[in-house]
């Protein structure tokens, strides 16, 4: 680590939001902030803008000045970082910080969950990815971005929901309170749904996931089928991590943390409680180089 670094900054960036935390060298939190998407596959410049905005907001909380940015070592745990060309494109951008290290959001979450030790996590929020850290190696399952991957995440759930809603609008499957909720969101205008879909981002699809959980708790058949499919996807990814040698798996993210009751009892017994979160992992990344690819 550079000798003139005075602050560690951890950034956890996904498809929906970007969180930044600034700590002093003793680990005391000085400031924390949240901004928009920092998935680098949606645009490295967009992600960098969100990151810099979050760090600047957290720095203002800490009463730090822009001149203090050059004293910051920044650990970035970002969605999309697994894509090699996107990783290099992002890292080629200018920044005001002393040093930056970049790895995936799943890597940061795993470091945080297991307090820097070996272990496995399945993160399922807007997207999804499983990672097992073992003897210095990363074993990855899934996480290749929406719509071709990310099973078990909110975006895929939302995409499937929209598909079912359109089928219900055509009278192919029964309508439910959940499908009516989605149709009302679009003012019962099918053309509006089609137009929306042409530019909808993962977080736009993921916005419907809270409604799925809410309606499932009321016995809505469509919502229940959505969560059964999501639970099946998460079970598939958990089993893949176990097959690679993981004993326990921490479930992290807005979807994963709420799906426990929908999993089979044998997998429920494999769930571990995280010791920390992705922000803790990103701070750990800031303390030494954890770059996914060599510079």
């Amino acid at each position: 680590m550079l000798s003139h670094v005075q602050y560690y900054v951890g950034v956890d960036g996904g498809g929906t939001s970007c969180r930044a935390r600034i700590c002093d060298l003793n680990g005391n939190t000085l400031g924390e902030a949240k901004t928009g998407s920092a998935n680098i596959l949606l645009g490295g410049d967009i992600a960098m803008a969100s990151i810099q905005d979050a760090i600047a907001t957290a720095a203002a909380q800490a009463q730090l000045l822009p001149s203090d940015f050059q004293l910051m070592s920044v650990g970035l745990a970002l969605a999309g970082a697994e894509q090699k060309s996107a990783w290099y494109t992002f890292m080629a951008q200018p920044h005001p910080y002393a040093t930056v290290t970049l790895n995936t959001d799943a890597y940061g979450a795993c470091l945080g969950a297991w307090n820097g030790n070996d272990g496995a996590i399945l993160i399922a929020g807007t997207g999804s990815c499983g990672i097992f850290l073992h003897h210095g190696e990363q074993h990855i399952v899934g996480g290749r971005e929406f719509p071709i991957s990310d099973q078990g995440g909110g975006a895929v759930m939302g995409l499937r929901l929209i598909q079912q809603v359109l089928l219900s609008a055509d009278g192919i499957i029964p309508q439910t309170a959940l499908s009516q909720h989605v149709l009302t969101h679009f003012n019962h205008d099918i053309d509006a749904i089609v137009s929306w879909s042409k530019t909808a981002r993962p977080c736009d699809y993921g916005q419907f996931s809270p409604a799925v959980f809410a309606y499932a708790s009321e016995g809505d058949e469509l919502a229940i089928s959505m969560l059964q499919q999501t639970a099946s996807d998460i079970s598939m990814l958990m089993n893949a991590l176990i097959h690679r040698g993981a004993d326990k798996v921490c479930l992290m993210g807005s979807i994963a943390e709420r799906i426990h009751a929908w999993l089979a009892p044998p997998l429920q017994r494999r769930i571990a409680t995280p010791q920390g979160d992705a922000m803790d992992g990103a701070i750990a990344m800031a303390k030494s180089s954890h770059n996914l690819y060599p510079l």
Side-chain angles (χ1 to χ4, degrees):
M1 190 56 59
L2 298 178
S3 60
H4 62 279
V5 165
Q6 294 184 18
Y7 307 100
Y8 296 128
V9 182
V11 177
D12 171 37
T16 301
S17 64
C18 171
R19 297 182 300 156
R21 179 183 297 160
I22 301 175
C23 295
D24 62 21
L25 300 185
N26 294 319
N28 301 306
T29 298
L30 304 178
E32 191 167 326
K34 180 178 178 180
T35 54
S37 172
N39 183 328
I40 66 174
L41 292 185
L42 300 179
D45 54 341
I46 296 173
M48 182 64 85
S50 291
I51 291 162
Q52 293 189 342
D53 186 18
I55 293 175
T57 304
Q61 282 184 15
Q63 297 184 325
L64 299 178
L65 302 173
S67 58
D68 292 314
F69 291 170
Q70 63 186 328
L71 304 176
M72 296 177 178
S73 176
V74 181
L76 301 176
L78 305 182
E82 69 280 353
Q83 217 284 335
K84 194 171 186 178
S85 62
W87 189 96
Y88 279 104
T89 297
F90 180 89
M91 290 294 278
Q93 295 183 95
H95 63 77
Y97 314 112
T99 184
V100 168
T101 184
L102 172 61
N103 213 305
T104 66
D105 53 343
Y107 181 85
C110 198
L111 276 184
W114 294 97
N115 198 26
N117 299 312
D118 285 355
I121 64 131
L122 176 60
I123 184 168
T126 305
S128 70
C129 184
I131 181 170
F132 175 39
L133 300 181
H134 185 60
H135 293 165
E137 293 186 6
Q138 296 185 47
H139 302 272
I140 308 293
V141 297
R144 293 178 178 86
E145 297 296 319
F146 178 83
I148 62 170
S149 184
D150 284 9
Q151 293 91 339
V156 168
M157 182 193 295
L159 173 59
R160 289 173 176 154
L161 175 60
I162 293 295
Q163 292 170 340
Q164 296 300 303
V165 167
L166 292 176
L167 291 175
S168 74
D170 289 341
I172 297 172
I173 63 172
Q175 291 205 352
T176 73
L178 175 59
S179 62
Q180 282 293 321
H181 169 81
V182 176
L183 287 170
T184 299
H185 178 85
F186 291 101
N187 296 316
H188 293 265
D189 185 343
I190 301 302
D191 285 343
I193 297 177
V194 175
S195 297
W196 169 87
S197 72
K198 302 306 179 185
T199 57
R201 301 166 297 168
C203 61
D204 296 323
Y205 282 101
Q207 70 177 305
F208 297 106
S209 60
V212 175
F213 280 99
Y215 280 94
S217 70
E218 298 174 1
D220 186 279
E221 290 184 4
L222 176 58
I224 289 171
S225 71
M226 291 286 100
L227 291 190
Q228 288 173 336
Q229 180 61 62
T230 295
S232 176
D233 289 342
I234 287 176
S235 297
M236 171 185 69
L237 295 172
M238 284 185 69
N239 280 319
L241 291 167
I242 291 166
H243 178 74
R244 283 160 174 77
D247 178 44
K248 298 277 190 176
V249 180
C250 292
L251 299 187
M252 306 176 73
S254 58
I255 302 298
E257 291 167 359
R258 301 179 68 184
I259 206 68
H260 293 202
W262 296 82
L263 300 175
L267 280 182
Q268 290 183 20
R269 290 191 287 271
R270 293 276 197 164
I271 298 172
T273 301
Q275 299 174 41
D277 62 11
M279 295 292 286
D280 297 310
I283 291 291
M285 289 169 55
K287 295 179 180 179
S288 61
S289 179
H290 286 262
N291 280 324
L292 179 57
Y293 299 109
L295 283 170

